Amino acid sequence: MASSSSSSSSMDMDPDVARNLFVEGATLVLLGVPRGTELGIDCKSWQVGPKFRGVKMIPPGLHFLHYSSVNSPSCGNEIGPKTGRFLTLKQREILLANWDAKEEDLDFSASQNEDEVSKIRENLQELDPHLGPYPYDVLRKWVSLTDRINEEVATKLQPLSGRVCAFSDVIPEVQLTHTKDRAEQPRNDTACQSMREGLDRLPKMKLREGTELRFSTVPNKTYPPGATPAEITQCSLDHSYALDIFLEKHYQAQPLNLLGELQFAFVCFILGNVYEGFEHWKSLLGLLCRSEDAMRKRKDLYLGLIAVLYHQLGEIPPDFFVDIVSQNNFLTSTLQDFFQFASGPGVDGMLRKRAEKFKAHLTKKFRWDFDADLDDCAPVVVDLPEGFTVN
């Protein structure tokens, strides 16, 4: 899978090229990371050794640093949940972070201290033996998965804290800091009479402010206010109205940035283990693939979608879909709609041809049948607007 490789592969590189990359590339100096921690950048990860101090020779641009703390052998060597950070690095930039043992996380606040960063820069040559080289053998793969994510999109979508966490960081809705407050709460020292009573006794939780991913909201309703039943039915078959509303609200100036959000959600799931990323990827894909009229009007968006999906699906083993997606055949049914619409009247010739090639590629790779009879006679369930009644 794209998410990691547990051991680094040796990469032959010309010494002059390596020296130039060391000088011109960005450097992550990561101090105090415990031995055994699983740490990676982009599509590769390793287990940290005792001499590790960071990563060097990083090409400028967007990168995803991800890591998981590991318990000591006496505690079973259990791996903790993954944390990730999207970083946009500049040429020759140095980012400095220290491991916070209490939080089991990297603290990048030292990067704001110019004196500390200057000291690191002066002693970079001495640090060199302790810095692992960026894995250039997976750079092409990383770029193919993120070429639509620019700094603007990454900043807009990532949590305010900067940390992408595999598990939600939740806190009680009501903070019972004083003994008096706790005493006023219902007692929990008696047996529950029902599951509902047990659930009601649990404290109500909420996401810690600044830790949630800020994905764009996909419209719940696919039809305009005041739509007739016929229009509701049409909009349930063709989601172009909902797609237009989505783009107008979130990406009016740059509609193609929607593809960046699709890639961002995919990376959060595949590399960051964030299930919410998978659910959002599905929502965006469903919106795009079921917008027939938009395919005729937004050729560039859909040419880009095919390229994005080609690389994303190329990084996932076939059995992935058996375990997760095919519970309700989401992907095959969604792409079946896409290929049907892409072959319809009024679709640009180049888009039609690319869609046909992509369909043939997926059919060969995954043995999916996109030409099975569509259930045209299935009833369409629609939500009637307020005021409409059915006699």
Side-chain angles (χ1 to χ4, degrees), residues 7-15 17-19 21-22 44 46 55-59 132-140:
S7 62
S8 62
S9 60
S10 59
M11 181 180 58
D12 295 328
M13 182 179 288
D14 181 86
V17 174
R19 274 191 292 271
L21 288 171
F22 178 73
K44 200 113 178 192
W46 312 267
V55 184
K56 61 184 176 181
M57 300 161 57
I58 306 171
Y134 178 86
Y136 276 86
D137 54 325
V138 295
L139 177 60
R140 186 184 295 273

Side-chain angles (χ1 to χ4, degrees), residues 36-94:
T37 299
E38 287 201 358
L39 182 141
I41 185 167
D42 302 342
C43 299
K44 200 113 178 192
S45 63
W46 312 267
Q47 208 168 39
V48 167
K51 297 181 180 179
F52 175 81
R53 299 292 182 274
V55 184
K56 61 184 176 181
M57 300 161 57
I58 306 171
L62 181 81
H63 297 281
F64 187 61
L65 177 70
H66 43 97
Y67 42 91
S68 303
S69 59
V70 179
N71 287 337
S72 63
S74 61
C75 296
N77 280 327
E78 289 185 350
I79 301 173
K82 189 174 284 190
T83 299
R85 292 175 181 270
F86 285 92
L87 305 171
T88 302
L89 302 175
K90 300 178 179 64
Q91 190 175 21
R92 299 191 180 193
E93 183 175 9
I94 293 175

Side-chain angles (χ1 to χ4, degrees), residues 144 147-148 263 302-312:
S144 73
D147 61 330
R148 296 285 185 168
Q263 289 185 330
Y302 283 91
L303 286 172
L305 175 63
I306 290 172
V308 167
L309 284 177
Y310 175 85
H311 292 295
Q312 288 182 342

